[in-house]
Amino acid sequence: MGMTLTEKILANHSDSSSVEPGESVWVDVDVLMTHDVCGPPSIGIFQKQFGEDARVWDKEKLVIIPDHYIFTEDKYANRNVDILRAFAADQDLPYFYDVGSDDYKGVCHIALPEEGFTRPGEVLFGTDSHTCTAGAFGQFATGIGNTDAAFIMGTGKLWVKVPETMRFDFEGTSMPPYLMAKDLILQIIGDIGVDGATYRTMEFGGPGISAMTMEDRMTLTNMVIEAGGKNGVVEPDAKTEAYVRERTDKDFEPVYSDADATYHSRYSYNLEDMVPMVAKPHSPDNKATALELEGTKLDRAYIGSCTGGKLSDFEAAAEIIAGNELKLDTYIVPATTEIADKLETHTLNGKPLIQIFRDAGCHIGQASCAACLGGPSDTFGRLNNAEVCISTTNRNYPGRMGSKQAQVYLASPYTVAASAVTGKITDPRVFIQETVI
């Protein structure tokens, strides 16, 4: 019997010839990532259980990326970063991307691929639920708790139950000009629900996926956790290899699903039939089309996060914002410092992207998670009152971006930008030529 990509990776990392869904195995870990929110408690547990003077299992495989509560005066948030600094110095960790240093990166899930840590065929764990983003590179990547992270720090292994795999195929040779990967994943989550993939792999394939960029694929795998997924994955191809080889010289072995692999279920979508989507408050599966919500009044627009703060996300937003006057307070937060730099150099009609946003009156933030997880009251872009916001982020539960009285609509960068121009939810097709609603 054949195996899926996820099953093959777990078999390879547990010295097994094969594994089956439901089976539990000890898995060797290639990379462990933690950040400023979960890093300190993980470190505390590690030191308590393994000893104050214990060394991590492999300092070359531990990556620490502070990114959540960074640019704040909150003393507890600052203390967390201090704990990371002390631990990184004591352990002599080479991959600590400290705030305020030239090494600082920004959002961990985008920084990991930028720095070459997302390699096909490998196992990556992180103390953040959106670690599943890295599955876009054909690896097993998933979020874990602090205790599991502490155990990995000491042993380099973790006890893992093999998940069943759900397959999502996309037909079509290219994305329609008004559609983005965010629309696709919101459609899927709306179809299966926030618990529709609980402890299952969501595997994406088909010609539509092959046509997508790596950043498109990252958007899909990023939000599988919003459907309860254990991990998301895309089979590696030439695009994957080119992206990874450009960023690391480490060896890796891609694996692929067998033709006779067994799937829990299969879903099929045609890109040509799909339209811009929105998730209404207060759940990612509370779906509607942008057209159905046309005219809904808004107070704020937010473009950023691991889901919607990549270069291609800002390129899309700039297409619509350029030359227009905005009717909403609009916040721009690049996911990483690399992306922030590219906003200065990448142009649209001869004008740098960052200048397009500045000319439109956008508020520009520093590379970080910023308001995606709410954070202290002085967090950039945080919803501190009963605002209604449309955002490129990934969750819209009460209090997710700050105030529990706020309402958050999730949408693609195209839809968020279109809505920022009009002041109300707007289908982006009205701004994109050669499309008809």
Side-chain angles (χ1 to χ4, degrees):
M1 183 180 296
M3 290 189 289
T4 65
L5 188 157
T6 291
E7 291 161 7
K8 283 187 176 181
I9 293 174
L10 294 180
N12 291 344
H13 284 72
S14 60
D15 293 326
S16 303
S17 59
S18 65
V19 295
E20 295 181 0
E23 179 181 356
S24 293
V25 292
W26 283 108
V27 172
D28 292 323
V29 180
D30 293 302
V31 177
L32 170 65
M33 183 281 300
T34 191
H35 51 49
D36 56 297
V37 176
C38 297
S42 298
I43 291 166
I45 298 168
F46 167 71
Q47 292 174 331
K48 180 179 180 180
Q49 297 299 326
F50 290 90
E52 290 292 329
D53 298 324
R55 303 286 92 185
V56 298
W57 96 104
D58 189 335
K59 66 181 184 180
E60 294 290 329
K61 295 183 177 182
L62 177 57
V63 183
I64 300 182
I65 308 177
D67 60 354
H68 278 64
Y69 305 149
I70 300 303
F71 304 111
T72 174
E73 296 298 319
D74 185 88
K75 63 180 181 180
Y76 300 109
N78 294 337
R79 177 202 60 189
N80 276 5
V81 177
D82 288 339
I83 292 172
L84 298 182
R85 287 178 178 140
F87 184 72
D90 177 62
Q91 297 280 336
D92 190 28
L93 300 179
Y95 303 120
F96 172 50
Y97 298 89
D98 196 6
V99 186
S101 73
D102 291 339
D103 293 328
Y104 176 68
K105 288 297 299 181
V107 181
C108 58
H109 310 301
I110 310 304
L112 285 168
E114 285 181 352
E115 293 298 300
F117 292 109
T118 54
R119 299 178 288 267
E122 294 193 351
V123 169
L124 185 155
F125 289 109
T127 57
D128 188 291
S129 60
H130 290 107
T131 302
C132 50
T133 306
F137 297 88
Q139 67 173 186
F140 179 81
T142 192
I144 56 173
N146 301 331
T147 302
D148 283 347
F151 186 84
I152 293 172
M153 284 183 188
T155 68
K157 296 179 178 290
L158 193 63
W159 185 242
V160 178
K161 185 174 77 169
V162 180
E164 297 177 297
T165 296
M166 302 170 73
R167 173 81 178 192
F168 297 84
D169 283 296
F170 288 88
E171 300 301 324
T173 57
S174 64
M175 197 94 77
Y178 49 83
L179 205 63
M180 299 191 72
K182 182 67 169 291
D183 298 307
L184 277 54
I185 194 63
L186 288 179
Q187 177 73 54
I188 290 172
I189 296 169
D191 289 345
I192 68 175
V194 291
D195 59 352
T198 300
Y199 207 92
R200 298 190 188 112
T201 299
M202 294 176 68
E203 180 179 301
F204 302 97
I209 297 296
S210 299
M212 291 182 188
T213 67
M214 291 310 303
E215 290 195 351
D216 290 335
R217 300 174 193 183
M218 289 166 67
T219 300
L220 292 179
T221 54
N222 172 269
M223 286 191 68
V224 302
I225 185 60
E226 271 65 64
K230 178 66 173 177
N231 67 304
V233 72
V234 176
E235 289 189 319
D237 59 11
K239 291 180 182 178
T240 315
E241 182 163 356
Y243 185 105
V244 176
R245 290 295 184 197
E246 186 179 340
R247 292 161 175 82
T248 182
D249 57 5
K250 291 194 174 183
D251 292 332
F252 54 85
E253 295 184 17
V255 297
Y256 308 90
S257 294
D258 291 327
D260 60 344
T262 299
Y263 291 93
H264 168 272
S265 50
R266 288 178 175 267
Y267 296 80
S268 182
Y269 294 87
N270 191 315
L271 294 177
E272 294 296 332
D273 297 333
M274 304 185 78
V275 298
M277 299 296 297
V278 176
K280 300 177 290 184
H282 292 283
S283 181
D285 65 356
N286 192 12
K287 73 170 180 178
T289 67
L291 189 58
E292 289 172 332
L293 298 179
E294 190 100 8
T296 303
K297 292 185 178 180
L298 302 163
D299 301 308
R300 179 176 297 186
Y302 186 96
I303 304 172
S305 83
C306 55
T307 316
K310 304 179 293 299
L311 179 63
S312 58
D313 297 315
F314 293 114
E315 288 175 330
E319 289 178 31
I320 290 177
I321 289 176
N324 284 305
E325 188 174 313
L326 303 185
K327 294 186 178 178
L328 296 179
D329 274 342
T330 300
Y331 289 75
I332 300 292
V333 187
T336 65
T337 53
E338 181 177 313
I339 294 169
D341 290 342
K342 289 180 178 178
L343 293 184
E344 301 278 356
T345 59
H346 283 237
T347 63
L348 177 65
N349 297 326
K351 182 179 288 189
L353 299 181
I354 195 67
Q355 194 60 50
I356 290 172
F357 297 133
R358 287 175 180 150
D359 290 349
C362 296
H363 307 279
I364 313 296
Q366 299 180 80
S368 67
C369 296
C372 180
L373 193 57
S377 59
D378 62 347
T379 299
F380 182 82
R382 187 183 192 273
L383 303 178
N384 287 324
N385 300 294
E387 296 108 328
V388 181
C389 177
I390 188 163
S391 176
T392 65
T393 53
N394 43 57
R395 289 181 184 154
N396 58 348
Y397 306 118
R400 169 68 184 189
M401 292 185 71
S403 171
K404 291 183 179 179
Q405 282 69 53
Q407 297 181 60
V408 177
Y409 290 83
L410 304 177
S412 77
Y414 272 152
T415 301
V416 172
S419 302
V421 173
T422 64
K424 54 193 177 182
I425 294 180
T426 301
D427 190 307
R429 288 177 286 183
V430 301
F431 287 93
I432 298 174
Q433 295 180 354
E434 299 180 5
T435 63
V436 178
I437 299 178

